[in-house]
Amino acid sequence: MSFLAKDEVGNSSKGDFAHYVEGVFRLQNSVTSELMELQESEAVVDQSALLKAEQAMQEACAPLNEYVSKETDGAGASFFLKRKVQKTAVQCESSANFVRLTLKNQPLQK
């Protein structure tokens, strides 16, 4: 799933960008939920690749999560944080998609 191409993010309207960021946030949350569910079941045989992918996703999505947290709390995000989200949203999306792919390719215990 890709909402905007990387070169379109900086040139998108505020509404398009807000929609894109919301979609990326939902994707990341969905992947995180899938990870938690799978880890609780202890069905993953080799967790090292999955852990590495998850850490990369968390780092890539940190500005987006901070942005959403501030907006949810009513604090409002600074101009600099908004710019950082613009610069990192595509990487967050890519990382979340990579974690989902890694999850699908995991050998599971029976």
Side-chain angles (χ1 to χ4, degrees):
M1 161 177 26
S2 182
F3 303 96
L4 295 173
K6 187 174 185 169
D7 58 343
E8 293 177 37
V9 172
N11 298 324
S12 63
S13 72
K14 284 184 181 181
D16 289 343
F17 182 70
H19 176 70
Y20 171 71
V21 168
E22 180 182 344
V24 172
F25 183 73
R26 289 179 189 271
L27 170 66
Q28 184 230 344
N29 278 333
S30 171
V31 170
T32 300
S33 294
E34 289 172 31
L35 272 170
M36 289 171 47
E37 204 173 284
L38 191 60
Q39 288 171 342
E40 285 176 6
S41 72
E42 298 180 8
V44 178
V45 174
D46 178 21
Q47 293 190 6
S48 61
L50 198 51
L51 181 60
K52 210 176 203 183
E54 178 189 14
Q55 288 172 336
M57 178 183 75
Q58 294 303 327
E59 287 177 27
C61 297
L64 176 57
N65 289 326
E66 182 182 352
Y67 171 82
V68 171
S69 177
K70 287 186 181 291
E71 291 294 316
T72 301
D73 291 344
S78 70
F79 169 79
F80 297 106
L81 180 57
K82 289 177 184 177
R83 289 291 296 150
K84 195 169 189 178
V85 169
Q86 276 185 315
K87 292 177 181 180
T88 60
V90 172
Q91 181 59 40
C92 175
E93 178 186 11
S94 295
S95 294
N97 282 324
F98 182 73
V99 171
R100 181 165 276 161
L101 181 64
T102 304
L103 270 171
K104 288 180 181 180
N105 291 324
Q106 283 293 309
L108 302 177
Q109 290 178 347
K110 299 196 179 197

